[in-house]
Amino acid sequence: MNQSSSVYKIRIFLVLGALCLSSSVAVGSELIPVPEFTNHDVPITLPSNPDSPIWEWLNVGLLVIALSLASYLAIVSRSRRGLFALAVASLLWFGFARGGCVCAIGAVQNVTLGMFDSSYAIPWTVIAIFVLPLVYTLFFGRTFCAAVCPLGAIQEVVAVRPVRVPSWLDHSLGLVPYIYLGLAILYAATGTAFIICRYDPFVAMFRMSGNVNMLIFGGSILLLGVFIGRPYCRYLCPYGAILGVLSKGSKWHGRIAPETCIQCHLCENSCPYGAIATPTRPIHKSERVKARGRLAKSLLSVPVLIICGVLVGLLLKTPLSKLDADVRLAERIIQEDAGEVEGMTDASEAFRNTGQPTSALIERAIGQRELFGWLGMALGGWVGLVVGVKFVTLSIRRRRVDYEPDRARCVSCARCYWYCPGEHVRQGLVGDVSQLVSIETTGDPR
Amino acid sequence: MDTNSFDSGKQDRRRFMADALRTGGVVAMASAGGFLVGRRSEGEPMVWQLDPDRCTACGNCATHCVLDVSAVKCYNCFDMCGFCDVCTGYFEMNYKSLDTAAENQACPTGAIVRKFVEEKSGQRFYEYTIDEPICIGCAKCVEGCALMNGSLYLQIDHQKCLNCNECAIATACPTEAFYRIPQSQSEILKERAAAVYQARGSQTKRVIERDAEQTGTEIDQVKEAEANELLARAERQRVWRASQQKGSDSQEPSFQ
Ligand code: SF4
Ligand code: SF4
Ligand code: SF4
Ligand code: SF4
Ligand code: SF4
């Protein structure tokens, strides 16, 4: 409260003193009593009650339908057009109509909080929204990303001029989602914040209102998405990280050439998301030994990296705990009490108004910081593990004879299917593949 | 695909492993989901609500909600209100005259309705109600009323609120006044308001029981239900406050 308003306060009290004070009211914490009316009942204000969750049930139903349809379109009917149409529909419904909330990506945090905090009641609809895409991915690959996720869909729509991201950059940025996932789980588990939702670039767009910073952030990601396919999905989305891992073991998965790949490499550059894995060259005996050596080294590096991560994590205790309200407030109160800072913040003022003892707050804050110490180490270890596993996967040479989608990264968008001559044969547009191949290979100097 | 017998053996093994892992994954997810469903014993969704005792009327509630017109609205706890003639919540601090002209009102949208109730021993009493659809939750009146009884307070209107997974105002609130509360609780009252509801509830109960005794008639069912509702509301608040007071310690996960 600033100077002028306290002047007003005095003035108004004086006015009131003259006007409406009867005997008992003293200036200060005393309240003006509710008058005894002769002929009027003092009303009671009722709280507003939420609507029934019927809409949420409907949503889970629609999610199942959309997931099934997306899987069918990606794997059985291989229809890019169908998938695109479904993506637009999902964008309209799950995105714009529903305001994009709660989505499967954010549900990661609800589930985490539900696991760690028994007083948090997670609705079953949110559990379903979290689990269903995972289950579908285990069977059909990331068909959720293809045409159901509204965040994916909005980026899918704008990906018109995709360029190739250099592989070193792609691999390094590809680690970010795992780190983000670790952070999100950490903050959700402690009940500090849902950072995925806080920094969701598109939710402000879906609602066509909201914080300007978030709108700008979302706008830039969309703009970037014109040239770099699905930047959020590839380099940020924590749920995509989980889906990618699960997709590696999916029972079925969309294939570029459903029958035989004739290795015409026509599809090679068709994927806007850099997800097409090329066939491996057969390698020489001597090279094979070297590759084994490399694999052994990278395997050994995993524990080392984890230990380094844990050690670095020790340093994270203080910065990580900064997001915690109690810690921040306690720091402020200590500073104020020590006279290091002038005045009060809103938070410290509100806290002091409640009259709660400072010692309890500080104790809580210390407890929180201790907790973040452990969590920081866990996070460090997690990052070490992620980097280590990346090294290992990079040094594993798996023999691949066909052009295939890399299951972890492919979002089953079906763009590449059309580039495969086999597809044209299947559609009955050309009679014989060999004919196409000969045309192509004669034109190819390789 | 050109696979020799050795490779296909390897592939079979791989496929078997993958199937096993997948089944394991589905089972794990189902049990985790089941665990969570079972765990939320009350089976109740959570909604966002703000604690008016912590609110300092900063104004972020009006500007940070994802809705164009904020889901946060002003409420008046009449049992705390003085029904004042010169209402500091209703009138602009430097009003020109004490009438209902727009420039004299603190509320930028004129959402507070001032209604004369009665005149008693030279004092005029007015009732102030909120025209909810017009209220934008800017807390100007809350700030004003804080100079007096503090009967005006903000709450999220659940009919409007989208119940975002992370309330955008919660992020912006300088006093961290936002909480997730069980849907059936739906409100957070000022401690003082809970106390006056408690008092009013028990008072009403006493009165209707006495009346019934004196007149020898049945207890007024409607009034009794009303009183019980008030008592229940106050009790819910008491329980919630107690659970907050306990500190986050007891709710904190133990990682050690
Ligand atoms: S990667 Fe994430 S944002 Fe992209 S489509 Fe998949 S779940 Fe949605
Ligand atoms: S379906 Fe093809 S084009 Fe689409 S992401 Fe997968 S590999 Fe890339
Ligand atoms: S943001 Fe917080 S302090 Fe500001 S008006 Fe809303 S509840 Fe009150
Ligand atoms: S200032 Fe507050 S207590 Fe006084 S009449 Fe207005 S709303 Fe009621
Ligand atoms: S949960 Fe969303 S809609 Fe509700 S008050 Fe917060 S920001 Fe507004």
Side-chain angles (χ1 to χ4, degrees):
Chain A
M1 212 132 289
N2 57 28
Q3 204 61 44
S4 65
S5 72
S6 40
V7 172
Y8 277 126
K9 187 172 184 171
I10 293 163
R11 183 182 128 189
I12 280 159
F13 274 127
L14 291 179
V15 172
L16 271 156
L19 272 174
C20 91
L21 292 196
S22 47
S23 52
S24 69
V25 178
V27 176
S29 62
E30 285 291 318
L31 302 187
I32 304 159
V34 183
E36 299 264 343
F37 294 120
T38 34
N39 196 13
H40 179 69
D41 279 338
V42 173
I44 302 169
T45 302
L46 293 174
S48 69
N49 283 313
D51 289 330
S52 78
I54 194 102
W55 280 106
E56 293 306 308
W57 301 6
L58 174 73
N59 260 311
V60 174
L62 284 176
L63 182 66
V64 172
I65 294 174
L67 280 168
S68 312
L69 200 58
S71 304
Y72 177 81
L73 289 170
I75 293 177
V76 184
S77 77
R78 299 169 58 82
S79 159
R80 164 84 190 137
R81 262 195 216 137
L83 277 173
F84 191 79
L86 183 59
V88 171
S90 298
L91 176 59
L92 292 180
W93 175 256
F94 294 111
F96 289 100
R98 260 194 90 219
C101 211
V102 179
C103 76
I105 308 172
V108 174
Q109 305 161 114
N110 302 61
V111 169
T112 309
L113 184 58
M115 291 268 180
F116 283 95
D117 179 353
S118 56
S119 70
Y120 172 66
I122 178 171
W124 73 264
T125 44
V126 176
I127 300 175
I129 286 173
F130 174 71
V131 169
L132 282 169
L134 299 183
V135 173
Y136 270 81
T137 302
L138 272 178
F139 286 92
F140 309 107
R142 294 170 67 175
T143 50
F144 171 73
C145 299
V148 185
C149 174
L151 285 83
I154 197 170
Q155 297 171 90
E156 181 76 40
V157 172
V158 298
V160 284
R161 291 250 172 290
V163 296
R164 212 189 173 87
V165 180
S167 119
W168 62 270
L169 188 62
D170 194 46
H171 281 299
S172 340
L173 287 177
L175 294 179
V176 176
Y178 295 95
I179 300 170
Y180 195 12
L181 177 66
L183 268 174
I185 288 183
L186 187 153
Y187 280 127
T190 52
T192 313
F194 280 8
I195 56 169
I196 301 177
C197 300
R198 201 174 272 196
Y199 304 113
D200 181 333
F202 300 122
V203 79
M205 279 182 197
F206 294 151
R207 290 168 170 165
M208 292 187 278
S209 76
N211 190 316
V212 183
N213 290 339
M214 292 323 285
L215 278 169
I216 294 174
F217 177 44
S220 342
I221 291 214
L222 272 193
L223 201 63
L224 193 66
V226 176
F227 306 103
I228 296 173
R230 295 201 185 214
Y232 182 80
C233 295
R234 284 156 83 194
Y235 308 129
L236 277 174
C237 180
Y239 195 60
I242 307 176
L243 292 181
V245 173
L246 295 185
S247 177
K248 280 200 175 182
S250 69
K251 176 113 184 127
W252 298 281
H253 194 286
R255 290 177 51 85
I256 304 174
E259 295 90 18
T260 323
C261 173
I262 49 169
Q263 311 207 11
C264 61
H265 79 80
L266 284 176
C267 60
E268 194 173 339
N269 290 320
S270 66
C271 179
Y273 314 124
I276 294 180
T278 51
T280 47
R281 295 180 283 117
I283 55 169
H284 212 265
K285 262 255 166 61
S286 62
E287 266 185 87
R288 199 167 292 171
V289 175
K290 245 192 252 162
R292 285 229 180 90
R294 226 176 311 135
L295 177 61
K297 258 187 243 154
S298 61
L299 275 174
L300 282 178
S301 78
V302 176
V304 180
L305 280 166
I306 294 181
I307 292 168
C308 291
V310 171
L311 293 179
V312 175
L314 281 173
L315 305 173
L316 293 177
K317 180 168 164 177
T318 310
L320 277 180
S321 65
K322 281 267 191 286
L323 209 65
D324 186 88
D326 281 340
V327 173
R328 236 181 315 151
L329 183 59
E331 274 180 352
R332 177 75 200 183
I333 297 269
I334 291 171
Q335 281 179 333
E336 280 175 14
D337 287 349
E340 286 165 26
V341 285
E342 289 257 323
M344 284 191 271
T345 59
D346 283 331
S348 64
E349 192 188 335
F351 173 75
R352 289 185 198 274
N353 285 344
T354 60
Q356 284 164 13
T358 321
S359 57
L361 172 75
I362 292 176
E363 215 166 274
R364 241 184 356 246
I366 291 173
Q368 282 297 80
R369 183 160 284 177
E370 282 306 306
L371 184 64
F372 276 105
W374 291 103
L375 293 172
M377 280 164 35
L379 181 72
W382 166 247
V383 174
L385 177 71
V386 165
V387 175
V389 169
K390 186 86 214 176
F391 282 147
V392 173
T393 45
L394 283 179
S395 47
I396 291 178
R397 286 188 65 97
R398 187 165 290 157
R399 207 159 72 86
R400 204 181 307 102
V401 286
D402 293 341
Y403 281 88
E404 276 171 36
D406 170 349
R407 292 189 165 201
R409 295 197 233 167
C410 169
V411 294
S412 300
C413 74
R415 271 197 177 83
C416 55
Y417 298 174
W418 192 245
Y419 290 80
C420 181
E423 187 76 2
H424 292 237
V425 177
R426 258 170 35 90
Q427 307 273 333
L429 296 174
V430 276
D432 187 359
V433 175
S434 59
Q435 185 190 343
L436 267 171
V437 177
S438 59
I439 297 169
E440 175 57 31
T441 40
T442 42
D444 191 336
R446 229 172 26 160
Chain B
M1 213 172 270
D2 54 344
T3 46
N4 56 36
S5 59
F6 175 69
D7 262 5
S8 74
K10 215 164 144 188
Q11 286 213 337
D12 274 349
R13 233 178 315 141
R14 238 215 203 130
R15 196 165 302 145
F16 176 75
M17 285 286 288
D19 278 340
L21 277 176
R22 200 160 29 243
T23 320
V26 173
V27 170
M29 271 186 254
S31 39
F35 165 75
L36 282 171
V37 172
R39 177 138 183 205
R40 32 172 225 122
S41 40
E42 328 88 298
E44 240 197 298
M46 306 293 261
V47 292
W48 285 101
Q49 192 51 279
L50 67 94
D51 178 357
D53 274 336
R54 292 194 78 150
C55 171
T56 48
C58 73
N60 282 354
C61 273
T63 48
H64 280 75
C65 181
V66 298
L67 294 169
D68 282 338
V69 176
S70 176
V72 175
K73 304 286 174 196
C74 176
Y75 292 79
N76 193 356
C77 172
F78 296 101
D79 285 290
M80 281 169 72
C81 180
F83 291 76
C84 320
D85 188 357
V86 189
C87 168
T88 50
Y90 183 77
F91 289 110
E92 183 69 69
M93 292 282 190
N94 40 2
Y95 54 82
K96 298 202 178 61
S97 59
L98 284 181
D99 59 36
T100 55
E103 74 266 22
N104 295 327
Q105 292 183 28
C107 179
T109 62
I112 306 181
V113 182
R114 171 174 154 104
K115 200 182 96 211
F116 175 73
V117 183
E118 81 175 40
E119 181 162 354
K120 241 174 121 184
S121 47
Q123 275 181 56
R124 296 167 67 78
F125 293 108
Y126 289 86
E127 185 173 280
Y128 299 92
T129 42
I130 315 296
D131 188 357
E132 222 200 53
I134 307 180
C135 173
I136 54 168
C138 71
K140 288 258 162 43
C141 59
V142 177
E143 195 183 6
C145 184
L147 301 175
M148 303 298 293
N149 283 8
S151 71
L152 296 175
Y153 64 105
L154 294 183
Q155 285 286 275
I156 293 175
D157 176 358
H158 300 299
Q159 294 277 311
K160 306 257 159 37
C161 178
L162 303 173
N163 206 12
C164 312
N165 214 16
E166 175 90 333
C167 173
I169 318 173
T171 314
C173 175
T175 66
E176 320 269 1
F178 283 72
Y179 295 87
R180 285 191 179 84
I181 59 168
Q183 186 166 27
S184 67
Q185 183 186 334
S186 85
E187 65 180 345
I188 302 177
L189 290 171
K190 287 190 172 184
E191 262 179 288
R192 180 139 209 156
V196 295
Y197 283 149
Q198 170 80 38
R200 179 168 176 172
S202 23
Q203 168 75 14
T204 317
K205 264 196 130 150
R206 267 199 303 277
V207 169
I208 48 178
E209 271 159 27
R210 195 195 54 206
D211 286 355
E213 216 169 273
Q214 281 174 0
T215 56
T217 50
E218 287 282 300
I219 284 187
D220 186 340
Q221 301 273 321
V222 181
K223 278 230 171 104
E224 191 185 30
E226 226 178 75
N228 284 339
E229 175 53 33
L230 272 182
L231 290 175
R233 255 170 103 183
E235 174 64 10
R236 272 199 295 273
Q237 297 301 308
R238 207 189 51 72
V239 171
W240 183 78
R241 289 266 174 217
S243 77
Q244 288 314 109
Q245 287 292 323
K246 245 193 297 159
S248 32
D249 292 337
S250 56
Q251 291 168 22
E252 239 22 279
S254 55
F255 281 85
Q256 283 88 333

Short mmCIF file of all heavy atoms in Angstrom, two decimals, chain B residues 92-125:
data_model
loop_
_atom_site.label_atom_id
_atom_site.label_comp_id
_atom_site.label_asym_id
_atom_site.label_seq_id
_atom_site.Cartn_x
_atom_site.Cartn_y
_atom_site.Cartn_z
N GLU B 92 -14.90 5.53 -5.81
CA GLU B 92 -13.53 5.92 -6.15
C GLU B 92 -12.94 6.65 -4.94
O GLU B 92 -13.65 7.34 -4.21
CB GLU B 92 -13.65 6.87 -7.36
CG GLU B 92 -12.37 7.38 -7.96
CD GLU B 92 -11.59 6.28 -8.63
OE1 GLU B 92 -12.05 5.80 -9.68
OE2 GLU B 92 -10.54 5.94 -8.11
N MET B 93 -11.63 6.48 -4.73
CA MET B 93 -11.00 7.14 -3.59
C MET B 93 -11.26 8.64 -3.58
O MET B 93 -11.59 9.23 -2.56
CB MET B 93 -9.49 6.92 -3.64
CG MET B 93 -9.10 5.48 -3.41
SD MET B 93 -9.18 5.09 -1.68
CE MET B 93 -8.40 3.51 -1.67
N ASN B 94 -11.04 9.26 -4.76
CA ASN B 94 -11.28 10.70 -4.81
C ASN B 94 -12.56 10.99 -5.60
O ASN B 94 -12.52 11.59 -6.66
CB ASN B 94 -10.09 11.44 -5.41
CG ASN B 94 -9.51 10.67 -6.57
OD1 ASN B 94 -10.03 9.61 -6.93
ND2 ASN B 94 -8.46 11.18 -7.16
N TYR B 95 -13.66 10.52 -5.04
CA TYR B 95 -14.96 10.73 -5.68
C TYR B 95 -15.29 12.22 -5.68
O TYR B 95 -14.86 12.97 -4.81
CB TYR B 95 -16.05 9.96 -4.94
CG TYR B 95 -16.09 10.26 -3.47
CD1 TYR B 95 -16.75 11.38 -3.00
CD2 TYR B 95 -15.46 9.42 -2.55
CE1 TYR B 95 -16.78 11.67 -1.65
CE2 TYR B 95 -15.47 9.71 -1.21
CZ TYR B 95 -16.13 10.84 -0.75
OH TYR B 95 -16.15 11.13 0.57
N LYS B 96 -16.08 12.61 -6.68
CA LYS B 96 -16.49 14.01 -6.75
C LYS B 96 -17.74 14.22 -5.91
O LYS B 96 -17.88 15.18 -5.20
CB LYS B 96 -16.75 14.41 -8.19
CG LYS B 96 -15.48 14.29 -9.04
CD LYS B 96 -15.52 15.15 -10.27
CE LYS B 96 -14.23 15.03 -11.05
NZ LYS B 96 -13.97 13.62 -11.52
N SER B 97 -18.65 13.26 -6.03
CA SER B 97 -19.83 13.34 -5.17
C SER B 97 -20.27 11.91 -4.88
O SER B 97 -19.93 10.99 -5.62
CB SER B 97 -20.94 14.11 -5.88
OG SER B 97 -21.26 13.45 -7.08
N LEU B 98 -21.02 11.73 -3.81
CA LEU B 98 -21.42 10.38 -3.44
C LEU B 98 -22.67 9.95 -4.18
O LEU B 98 -23.72 9.71 -3.58
CB LEU B 98 -21.66 10.32 -1.92
CG LEU B 98 -20.38 10.30 -1.08
CD1 LEU B 98 -20.74 10.22 0.39
CD2 LEU B 98 -19.50 9.14 -1.46
N ASP B 99 -22.57 9.90 -5.50
CA ASP B 99 -23.71 9.35 -6.24
C ASP B 99 -23.20 8.26 -7.18
O ASP B 99 -22.01 7.97 -7.22
CB ASP B 99 -24.45 10.46 -7.00
CG ASP B 99 -23.56 11.17 -7.98
OD1 ASP B 99 -22.70 10.50 -8.58
OD2 ASP B 99 -23.68 12.41 -8.11
N THR B 100 -24.12 7.68 -7.91
CA THR B 100 -23.74 6.50 -8.67
C THR B 100 -23.19 6.82 -10.06
O THR B 100 -23.09 5.93 -10.90
CB THR B 100 -24.96 5.57 -8.82
OG1 THR B 100 -26.02 6.33 -9.40
CG2 THR B 100 -25.40 5.03 -7.49
N ALA B 101 -22.80 8.08 -10.28
CA ALA B 101 -22.21 8.42 -11.57
C ALA B 101 -20.93 7.60 -11.78
O ALA B 101 -20.21 7.32 -10.83
CB ALA B 101 -21.88 9.91 -11.61
N ALA B 102 -20.69 7.21 -13.03
CA ALA B 102 -19.60 6.29 -13.32
C ALA B 102 -18.25 6.79 -12.82
O ALA B 102 -17.43 6.02 -12.34
CB ALA B 102 -19.54 6.02 -14.82
N GLU B 103 -18.03 8.11 -12.93
CA GLU B 103 -16.70 8.59 -12.54
C GLU B 103 -16.46 8.51 -11.03
O GLU B 103 -15.34 8.65 -10.58
CB GLU B 103 -16.45 10.02 -13.06
CG GLU B 103 -17.20 11.12 -12.32
CD GLU B 103 -18.53 11.47 -12.98
OE1 GLU B 103 -19.06 10.62 -13.72
OE2 GLU B 103 -19.05 12.58 -12.75
N ASN B 104 -17.51 8.30 -10.28
CA ASN B 104 -17.33 8.17 -8.83
C ASN B 104 -17.12 6.73 -8.38
O ASN B 104 -16.80 6.47 -7.24
CB ASN B 104 -18.55 8.73 -8.10
CG ASN B 104 -18.68 10.23 -8.32
OD1 ASN B 104 -17.67 10.91 -8.44
ND2 ASN B 104 -19.90 10.72 -8.38
N GLN B 105 -17.33 5.79 -9.31
CA GLN B 105 -17.26 4.39 -8.92
C GLN B 105 -15.84 3.84 -9.06
O GLN B 105 -15.15 4.12 -10.04
CB GLN B 105 -18.20 3.55 -9.79
CG GLN B 105 -19.66 3.85 -9.53
CD GLN B 105 -20.56 2.94 -10.34
OE1 GLN B 105 -20.18 1.81 -10.66
NE2 GLN B 105 -21.74 3.43 -10.67
N ALA B 106 -15.47 3.03 -8.07
CA ALA B 106 -14.15 2.40 -8.14
C ALA B 106 -14.12 1.34 -9.24
O ALA B 106 -13.12 1.16 -9.91
CB ALA B 106 -13.81 1.76 -6.80
N CYS B 107 -15.23 0.66 -9.42
CA CYS B 107 -15.26 -0.43 -10.40
C CYS B 107 -15.23 0.13 -11.82
O CYS B 107 -16.09 0.91 -12.21
CB CYS B 107 -16.51 -1.27 -10.21
SG CYS B 107 -16.62 -2.60 -11.41
N PRO B 108 -14.23 -0.27 -12.62
CA PRO B 108 -14.11 0.28 -13.97
C PRO B 108 -15.25 -0.13 -14.89
O PRO B 108 -15.50 0.53 -15.89
CB PRO B 108 -12.77 -0.29 -14.46
CG PRO B 108 -12.52 -1.48 -13.63
CD PRO B 108 -13.14 -1.21 -12.31
N THR B 109 -15.93 -1.21 -14.58
CA THR B 109 -17.01 -1.65 -15.46
C THR B 109 -18.38 -1.40 -14.83
O THR B 109 -19.39 -1.76 -15.42
CB THR B 109 -16.90 -3.15 -15.79
OG1 THR B 109 -17.02 -3.88 -14.57
CG2 THR B 109 -15.59 -3.47 -16.46
N GLY B 110 -18.39 -0.81 -13.67
CA GLY B 110 -19.67 -0.55 -13.02
C GLY B 110 -20.42 -1.81 -12.65
O GLY B 110 -21.64 -1.88 -12.77
N ALA B 111 -19.66 -2.83 -12.21
CA ALA B 111 -20.30 -4.12 -11.95
C ALA B 111 -20.90 -4.22 -10.57
O ALA B 111 -21.55 -5.20 -10.24
CB ALA B 111 -19.27 -5.24 -12.14
N ILE B 112 -20.68 -3.19 -9.74
CA ILE B 112 -21.24 -3.26 -8.39
C ILE B 112 -22.57 -2.51 -8.38
O ILE B 112 -22.67 -1.39 -8.86
CB ILE B 112 -20.29 -2.65 -7.35
CG1 ILE B 112 -18.92 -3.32 -7.47
CG2 ILE B 112 -20.85 -2.81 -5.94
CD1 ILE B 112 -17.91 -2.81 -6.48
N VAL B 113 -23.58 -3.19 -7.88
CA VAL B 113 -24.92 -2.60 -7.84
C VAL B 113 -25.19 -2.11 -6.42
O VAL B 113 -25.06 -2.86 -5.46
CB VAL B 113 -25.98 -3.64 -8.24
CG1 VAL B 113 -27.37 -2.99 -8.23
CG2 VAL B 113 -25.66 -4.22 -9.61
N ARG B 114 -25.52 -0.82 -6.32
CA ARG B 114 -25.77 -0.22 -5.00
C ARG B 114 -27.26 -0.06 -4.83
O ARG B 114 -27.93 0.55 -5.66
CB ARG B 114 -25.05 1.14 -4.96
CG ARG B 114 -25.35 2.02 -3.77
CD ARG B 114 -24.43 3.23 -3.87
NE ARG B 114 -24.93 4.41 -3.23
CZ ARG B 114 -24.48 4.87 -2.05
NH1 ARG B 114 -23.55 4.21 -1.42
NH2 ARG B 114 -24.97 5.99 -1.55
N LYS B 115 -27.78 -0.64 -3.75
CA LYS B 115 -29.22 -0.60 -3.55
C LYS B 115 -29.53 -0.14 -2.14
O LYS B 115 -28.98 -0.68 -1.17
CB LYS B 115 -29.80 -2.01 -3.77
CG LYS B 115 -31.28 -2.03 -4.05
CD LYS B 115 -31.77 -3.45 -4.21
CE LYS B 115 -32.35 -3.96 -2.90
NZ LYS B 115 -32.21 -5.39 -2.67
N PHE B 116 -30.40 0.85 -2.04
CA PHE B 116 -30.76 1.36 -0.73
C PHE B 116 -31.55 0.32 0.04
O PHE B 116 -32.47 -0.29 -0.51
CB PHE B 116 -31.58 2.65 -0.89
CG PHE B 116 -32.09 3.18 0.42
CD1 PHE B 116 -31.21 3.79 1.31
CD2 PHE B 116 -33.43 3.06 0.75
CE1 PHE B 116 -31.68 4.28 2.53
CE2 PHE B 116 -33.89 3.55 1.97
CZ PHE B 116 -33.02 4.16 2.86
N VAL B 117 -31.22 0.13 1.31
CA VAL B 117 -31.98 -0.84 2.09
C VAL B 117 -32.89 -0.14 3.09
O VAL B 117 -34.10 -0.29 3.03
CB VAL B 117 -31.04 -1.81 2.84
CG1 VAL B 117 -31.87 -2.84 3.58
CG2 VAL B 117 -30.12 -2.48 1.86
N GLU B 118 -32.29 0.61 4.01
CA GLU B 118 -33.16 1.33 4.94
C GLU B 118 -32.40 2.43 5.66
O GLU B 118 -31.17 2.46 5.64
CB GLU B 118 -33.84 0.37 5.91
CG GLU B 118 -32.99 -0.07 7.08
CD GLU B 118 -33.80 -0.94 8.05
OE1 GLU B 118 -34.60 -1.77 7.59
OE2 GLU B 118 -33.63 -0.78 9.27
N GLU B 119 -33.15 3.29 6.29
CA GLU B 119 -32.55 4.36 7.06
C GLU B 119 -32.92 4.14 8.51
O GLU B 119 -34.07 3.87 8.85
CB GLU B 119 -33.06 5.72 6.58
CG GLU B 119 -32.43 6.86 7.34
CD GLU B 119 -32.56 8.19 6.61
OE1 GLU B 119 -33.05 8.18 5.45
OE2 GLU B 119 -32.18 9.22 7.18
N LYS B 120 -31.85 4.19 9.34
CA LYS B 120 -32.10 3.89 10.75
C LYS B 120 -31.32 4.90 11.57
O LYS B 120 -30.13 5.08 11.34
CB LYS B 120 -31.58 2.48 11.06
CG LYS B 120 -32.66 1.54 11.54
CD LYS B 120 -32.07 0.15 11.68
CE LYS B 120 -32.21 -0.37 13.09
NZ LYS B 120 -31.55 -1.67 13.20
N SER B 121 -31.97 5.52 12.48
CA SER B 121 -31.40 6.56 13.34
C SER B 121 -30.41 7.43 12.56
O SER B 121 -29.24 7.56 12.91
CB SER B 121 -30.74 5.96 14.59
OG SER B 121 -29.93 4.87 14.24
N GLY B 122 -30.92 7.96 11.47
CA GLY B 122 -30.15 8.93 10.70
C GLY B 122 -29.09 8.33 9.80
O GLY B 122 -28.44 9.04 9.05
N GLN B 123 -28.90 7.00 9.83
CA GLN B 123 -27.92 6.40 8.95
C GLN B 123 -28.62 5.69 7.80
O GLN B 123 -29.62 5.00 8.00
CB GLN B 123 -27.12 5.36 9.72
CG GLN B 123 -25.96 5.94 10.47
CD GLN B 123 -25.21 4.84 11.18
OE1 GLN B 123 -24.79 3.89 10.54
NE2 GLN B 123 -25.08 4.96 12.48
N ARG B 124 -28.03 5.86 6.64
CA ARG B 124 -28.60 5.18 5.48
C ARG B 124 -27.75 3.96 5.17
O ARG B 124 -26.53 4.03 5.14
CB ARG B 124 -28.63 6.13 4.28
CG ARG B 124 -29.54 7.33 4.50
CD ARG B 124 -29.29 8.39 3.45
NE ARG B 124 -29.68 7.95 2.11
CZ ARG B 124 -30.95 7.92 1.68
NH1 ARG B 124 -31.92 8.30 2.48
NH2 ARG B 124 -31.23 7.53 0.47
N PHE B 125 -28.40 2.83 4.93
CA PHE B 125 -27.67 1.59 4.65
C PHE B 125 -27.91 1.14 3.20
O PHE B 125 -29.04 1.18 2.72
CB PHE B 125 -28.09 0.49 5.63
CG PHE B 125 -27.67 0.78 7.04
CD1 PHE B 125 -28.60 1.13 7.99
CD2 PHE B 125 -26.33 0.71 7.40
CE1 PHE B 125 -28.21 1.40 9.29
CE2 PHE B 125 -25.92 0.97 8.69
CZ PHE B 125 -26.87 1.33 9.64
#
